[in-house]
């Protein structure tokens, strides 16, 4: 899909090669050992937990809504609507965490780096089974978790490529124009917290794997089935041989 997008504006197709990206190559099962030490440390510290990743920077910017309007307003005329839609997500996820906590679920809440972590830390300070943490790469956290819940966060893509199911939760009144489609499409998707809780209660370790049909959709974007490291190395070798002639 990205190739098709590029060739609309760049006609020299012989210079384009679909290889995939080494960053995603390293998410394949044979490379999980690279993250094992860190994920074991996380698992030892937090036990069995649900990971929640958010991307609610418009409503919960670390620099405040005034900065968002001034910084993004010229590029996005609808910035105030973006903030309103983002607020819907933020409030819905606050409600979700409180519901999960009351069901004795252990939660690690990982806000986006653009978000104010202190907002959540203060809000959830009375909940002993909720930890607000943002540190290191998301990969070992995904591997250490039972599964991950998000609104429409791109970490769902990484979760899928790691072979782990993700769950998308969005408020029922949110406008789809303000939602990142791919992360939602590859996740088990809900617009109702009660239905999500029922789904979680029925989960077993064997059912927490990616849906193969949804995974094939991701491959259309990221060529995950290819060996990107070999492909890139081989292409570079051919180019170097040409240059040396």
């Amino acid at each position: 899909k990205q190739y098709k997008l590029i060739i609309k504006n760049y006609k020299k197709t012989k210079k384009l090669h679909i290889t995939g990206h080494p960053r995603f190559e390293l998410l394949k099962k044979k490379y999980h050992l690279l993250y094992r030490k860190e994920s074991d440390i996380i698992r030892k510290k937090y036990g069995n937990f649900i990971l929640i990743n958010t991307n609610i920077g418009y409503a919960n910017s670390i620099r405040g809504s005034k900065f968002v309007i001034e910084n993004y307003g010229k590029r996005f005329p609808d910035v105030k609507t973006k903030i309103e839609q983002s607020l819907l997500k933020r409030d819905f996820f606050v409600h979700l965490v409180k519901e999960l906590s009351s069901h004795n679920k252990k939660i690690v809440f990982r806000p986006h780096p653009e978000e104010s972590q202190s907002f959540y830390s203060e809000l959830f300070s009375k909940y002993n089974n909720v930890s607000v943490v943002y540190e290191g790469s998301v990969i070992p956290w995904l591997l250490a978790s039972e599964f991950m819940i998000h609104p429409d966060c791109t970490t769902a893509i990484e979760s899928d490529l790691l072979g782990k199911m993700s769950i998308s939760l969005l408020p029922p009144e949110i406008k789809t124009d303000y939602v990142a489609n791919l992360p939602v499409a590859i996740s088990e998707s809900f617009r109702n917290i009660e239905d999500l809780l029922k789904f979680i209660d029925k989960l077993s370790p064997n059912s927490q794997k990616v849906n193969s049909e949804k995974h094939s959709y991701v491959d259309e974007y990221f060529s995950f089935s290819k060996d990107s490291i070999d492909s890139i190395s081989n292409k570079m070798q051919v180019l170097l041989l040409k240059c040396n002639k």
Side-chain angles (χ1 to χ4, degrees), residues 58-59 62 66 73 78 99 109 117-118 143-144 150 221 224:
Y58 281 101
I62 197 168
K66 183 180 178 182
D78 60 344
E99 283 293 320
F109 192 96
Q117 185 172 321
S118 61
L143 287 171
H150 66 100
Y221 285 87
F224 190 65

Side-chain angles (χ1 to χ4, degrees), residues 213-226:
E213 186 178 338
K214 293 175 186 287
H215 178 74
S216 64
Y217 189 51
V218 174
D219 199 51
E220 292 178 15
Y221 285 87
F222 300 104
S223 302
F224 190 65
S225 58
K226 294 179 180 290

Side-chain angles (χ1 to χ4, degrees), residues 202-242:
K202 293 178 182 178
L203 281 177
S204 66
N206 290 330
S207 64
Q208 293 172 19
K209 298 177 181 178
V210 296
N211 180 303
S212 57
E213 186 178 338
K214 293 175 186 287
H215 178 74
S216 64
Y217 189 51
V218 174
D219 199 51
E220 292 178 15
Y221 285 87
F222 300 104
S223 302
F224 190 65
S225 58
K226 294 179 180 290
D227 190 321
S228 63
I229 295 172
D230 278 353
S231 296
I232 293 168
S233 299
N234 291 337
K235 295 295 181 186
M236 289 176 69
Q237 188 176 20
V238 170
L239 289 171
L240 284 168
L241 287 171
K242 287 181 178 179

Side-chain angles (χ1 to χ4, degrees), residues 134-151:
Y134 185 87
E135 56 185 47
S137 164
V138 72
I139 305 306
W141 291 91
L142 287 167
L143 287 171
S145 67
E146 292 186 62
F147 51 86
M148 187 264 289
I149 303 176
H150 66 100

